[in-house]
Amino acid sequence: MDPKFTEVAQLFERFKSAFIRNDFDTGSKLLSQLKVLLTEFRSLPPLFEETPHAINELTLARDIYEYAVVFSVKIEDQDTFERDFIQLKPYYTDARGRLPPSPQEYPILGLNLLRLLVQNRIAEFHTELELLSASSLENPCIKHAVELEQSFMEGTYNRVLSARQTVPHETYVYFMDLLAKTVRDEISGCSEKAYDSLSINNARQLFLFSADQELFEYVKEEHPEWEIKNGLVIFQRAKESAPCKEIPSLQLINQTLSYARELERIV
């Protein structure tokens, strides 16, 4: 076996050990080293050269980037997730005919869809869906993201929040928590405009919390301008927008008639 391949494989094993024990500092350092070493394999994208160990190198690189994507979720770094997913994607598309399917492909594709949904990048969400085959859309990981997007667009927020209990993969929990925050932020924006106040019980139900204490913590952390008093959640009403200036309608009519007369003369 090629010494360079052996070096990368051994370093990858060290990274996986750090990954399992949640040693994020060591994992980040090892992952950076792995990515640098992978650049020396000419069999990898975008070159795809036919080297003696091309299949082994492609498989190892795919495994590394799959771990990198999940690792970025562990450290809650969405920017790193996006970069690693972009590097991983060619292994699912351009190298599909050369490599056996990866069991992590659909969980990661679904995870990326969920990320796009959390970031409200709906156009890109649908673009990614268009790239998938009809059979892929039936995969539970993909269906989970699609159903979430439909519920979110329909405003059936209770289904969005309850979906956290049925995630198809444990890595989805991070983005589901972010999506729950997005949903509650949407509800809070509407509530401030619709109500002066709500009873604690009604507010808890509206914000889809299971206990009053969860509501209190949400208000404290996200909306300190709200007040909880006498069994009510009192919203800080947005200041009324400045009144619109009066439109000089008579002046506009006279100008329009003047333009019309000038046009008649020209014609």
Side-chain angles (χ1 to χ4, degrees):
M1 185 60 69
D2 178 51
K4 182 60 66 176
F5 179 88
T6 302
E7 179 186 359
V8 175
Q10 291 175 347
L11 192 63
F12 184 37
E13 291 302 318
R14 290 174 56 196
F15 166 77
K16 287 194 286 187
S17 297
F19 179 94
I20 291 171
R21 64 177 184 268
N22 291 328
D23 185 349
F24 299 143
D25 289 337
T26 301
S28 296
K29 292 175 183 176
L30 292 174
L31 188 56
S32 296
Q33 295 175 35
L34 284 167
K35 290 177 180 179
V36 171
L37 290 173
L38 287 178
T39 61
E40 300 180 21
F41 291 154
R42 300 185 63 82
S43 60
L44 305 185
L47 299 177
F48 286 113
E49 289 189 7
E50 289 290 348
T51 62
H53 306 290
I55 300 302
N56 290 333
E57 291 168 357
L58 283 166
T59 303
L60 178 61
R62 184 182 66 182
D63 290 347
I64 289 172
Y65 282 118
E66 285 178 339
Y67 264 88
V69 167
V70 178
F71 186 74
S72 69
V73 174
K74 278 196 168 192
I75 63 175
E76 301 182 357
D77 189 335
Q78 295 184 50
D79 292 335
T80 299
F81 178 102
E82 183 167 9
R83 289 193 297 270
D84 289 336
F85 179 79
I86 289 172
Q87 290 180 292
L88 171 63
K89 195 173 179 181
Y91 296 89
Y92 293 155
T93 54
D94 301 334
R96 178 177 295 277
R98 305 179 64 186
L99 298 177
S102 167
Q104 297 303 316
E105 179 175 355
Y106 287 116
I108 288 177
L109 290 177
L111 194 60
N112 182 58
L113 290 172
L114 189 55
R115 175 186 65 88
L116 294 174
L117 184 58
V118 166
Q119 295 176 349
N120 202 28
R121 294 160 64 175
I122 304 302
E124 292 175 63
F125 178 95
H126 286 283
T127 298
E128 291 294 326
L129 283 182
E130 291 294 328
L131 298 175
L132 298 176
S133 65
S135 59
S136 298
L137 296 176
E138 295 302 314
N139 184 276
C141 294
I142 306 301
K143 287 181 69 174
H144 180 265
V146 171
E147 290 170 358
L148 272 176
E149 190 267 346
Q150 291 173 346
S151 298
F152 192 74
M153 293 298 104
E154 293 169 0
T156 51
Y157 296 142
N158 59 323
R159 289 208 313 236
V160 175
L161 297 183
S162 63
R164 187 186 187 280
Q165 309 304 321
T166 58
V167 291
H169 198 273
E170 60 181 6
T171 54
Y172 284 44
V173 172
Y174 166 63
F175 284 119
M176 288 302 300
D177 287 342
L178 292 179
L179 189 59
K181 182 181 182 303
T182 300
V183 165
R184 291 191 172 105
D185 288 346
E186 186 75 16
I187 294 173
S188 67
C190 296
S191 300
E192 287 179 323
K193 293 177 174 60
Y195 307 106
D196 291 326
S197 64
L198 282 172
S199 69
I200 289 176
N201 185 53
N202 287 340
R204 176 175 53 77
Q205 294 180 32
L206 180 64
F207 285 90
L208 306 170
F209 287 117
S210 58
D212 291 350
Q213 188 59 38
E214 293 178 350
L215 172 65
F216 299 156
E217 291 175 1
Y218 173 76
V219 171
K220 181 180 178 180
E221 294 175 5
E222 303 295 335
H223 294 281
E225 72 277 10
W226 295 357
E227 185 179 6
I228 298 178
K229 184 178 180 181
N230 299 328
L232 296 173
V233 177
I234 303 171
F235 301 114
Q236 179 69 34
R237 298 298 297 269
K239 293 182 179 179
E240 295 294 330
S241 57
C244 297
K245 293 182 179 179
E246 183 179 352
I247 299 175
S249 54
L250 184 59
Q251 180 182 349
L252 290 174
I253 291 171
N254 288 332
Q255 287 179 351
T256 303
L257 291 174
S258 175
Y259 295 151
R261 285 194 293 270
E262 292 297 326
L263 285 172
E264 286 179 355
R265 290 175 185 172
I266 294 172
V267 175

